[in-house]
Amino acid sequence: MSMQCLFLSKGGMPVMIMIGVIVLYLLLIMIFSRKGSGKRLGSFRISETELTIFAGFPYNYRIDEIERVTFSYTIGKKNVFIGVMRVWKTESHKKRTSFLFDSTCYRKKRGFADTKGDIDEATQYLMDKLKKHGIKCEYRGREFGKVI
């Protein structure tokens, strides 16, 4: 079956409309996630009232709803260290959300494999940025088992 025949058949038009809607939705997300009055700090942006974490899609948290942010690390495949950042909310049915990070949030270029020192520097950088805005941060050390 040729491509022309697929899109001209009875069900072809709704498929094309759905693809168009999805592409438009993704473009709008990309456009609006780049705007804002806050500073973009590595893997997140902080404005006066909101913390936005960029992990595929932007995750928004009101600063007054954040109980604390915890940091830890785990060891991935081939002994690569991975940072873990968890946002704990005060009153929510979902108390925490986990995000993974590496040293690119601290250094803007990618290395081959992150060491514990690289993750510690990145963690300290992220914690300092959050503490400047009054967000309570904790360092928990190594995580064992499944992270997310």
Side-chain angles (χ1 to χ4, degrees):
M1 183 182 258
S2 71
M3 213 45 167
Q4 182 182 12
C5 186
L6 175 68
F7 293 122
L8 293 178
S9 66
K10 287 183 180 178
M13 190 54 103
V15 171
M16 288 301 293
I17 291 172
M18 287 299 292
I19 290 172
V21 168
I22 290 170
V23 168
L24 180 64
Y25 177 74
L26 292 174
L27 285 172
L28 289 173
I29 286 175
M30 288 173 46
I31 290 169
F32 288 112
S33 68
R34 294 177 194 267
K35 292 185 177 183
S37 60
K39 284 186 168 180
R40 194 176 198 149
L41 305 169
S43 59
F44 56 84
R45 175 178 55 206
I46 302 176
S47 67
E48 292 179 11
T49 59
E50 191 172 68
L51 168 68
T52 303
I53 298 175
F54 299 100
F57 289 101
Y59 294 84
N60 299 314
Y61 301 95
R62 286 188 16 212
I63 289 180
D64 59 350
E65 290 180 347
I66 298 173
E67 181 182 328
R68 68 184 185 277
V69 177
T70 60
F71 290 89
S72 58
Y73 70 92
T74 188
I75 300 175
K77 294 179 181 177
K78 299 182 182 180
N79 292 329
V80 175
F81 287 78
I82 303 165
V84 181
M85 180 172 97
R86 287 198 171 94
V87 178
W88 296 80
K89 295 171 72 175
T90 52
E91 296 177 17
S92 173
H93 67 282
K94 187 175 182 183
K95 287 293 251 181
R96 66 180 166 98
T97 307
S98 299
F99 302 96
L100 303 179
F101 65 92
D102 58 12
S103 64
T104 57
C105 64
Y106 176 66
R107 287 181 285 204
K108 298 303 177 195
K109 53 185 169 180
R110 179 81 177 124
F112 290 107
D114 289 329
T115 64
K116 184 176 183 312
D118 295 334
I119 294 299
D120 287 343
E121 287 178 7
T123 299
Q124 191 59 48
Y125 171 78
L126 294 173
M127 287 176 68
D128 290 344
K129 296 296 181 186
L130 290 170
K131 286 179 181 178
K132 284 182 184 176
H133 292 274
I135 298 173
K136 184 180 171 186
C137 298
E138 297 175 10
Y139 180 72
R140 296 237 169 138
R142 181 171 178 192
E143 298 231 347
F144 295 94
K146 189 175 180 183
V147 176
I148 293 181

